[in-house]
Amino acid sequence: MPGTPEENVYYVFRRQDSGAPLTEVGSVDAKNAKLARMYARENYARRKKTTNLVVVCEEDMNEIGEGAAYGGTLDKSYREDAGYDVEGFPA
């Protein structure tokens, strides 16, 4: 039963082809990682072509959060060429 102390939630990610991105396909409840891999294979790899599955315990996942700056600064003024003065070309 989910939520009981003896079972953990494991998220399952699937790669369809070599070089394709991993996509989350669902989750399984299992007592240990070995059972989680078996459940994931049975539930998410039998009917569709699958190159590999990744199973991650919910406890091992870390959330970055909403306040994090993804990708750095949005101010790209350093890319503008306003600082260069070339004869015959207005800045």
Side-chain angles (χ1 to χ4, degrees):
M1 179 179 337
T4 59
E6 62 269 358
E7 286 194 344
N8 292 316
V9 176
Y10 291 85
Y11 289 99
V12 182
F13 299 87
R14 179 177 157 271
R15 185 183 319 269
Q16 184 171 347
D17 293 313
S18 180
L22 285 171
T23 55
E24 182 181 356
V25 291
S27 63
V28 294
D29 297 318
K31 292 184 179 185
N32 57 44
K34 183 177 181 179
L35 281 175
R37 288 191 298 269
M38 284 179 22
Y39 295 158
R41 194 176 315 121
E42 285 296 314
N43 290 307
Y44 299 109
R46 287 189 328 166
R47 293 177 183 87
K48 294 184 179 178
K49 179 182 174 189
T50 301
T51 302
N52 67 343
L53 290 174
V54 176
V55 179
V56 181
C57 183
E58 182 179 40
E59 294 175 355
D60 296 332
M61 297 180 83
N62 296 308
E63 185 175 343
I64 294 174
E66 293 179 20
Y70 298 105
T73 181
L74 297 178
D75 177 25
K76 306 273 191 220
S77 60
Y78 62 90
R79 292 183 177 182
E80 296 175 4
D81 62 353
Y84 298 101
D85 187 18
V86 179
E87 273 187 44
F89 294 98

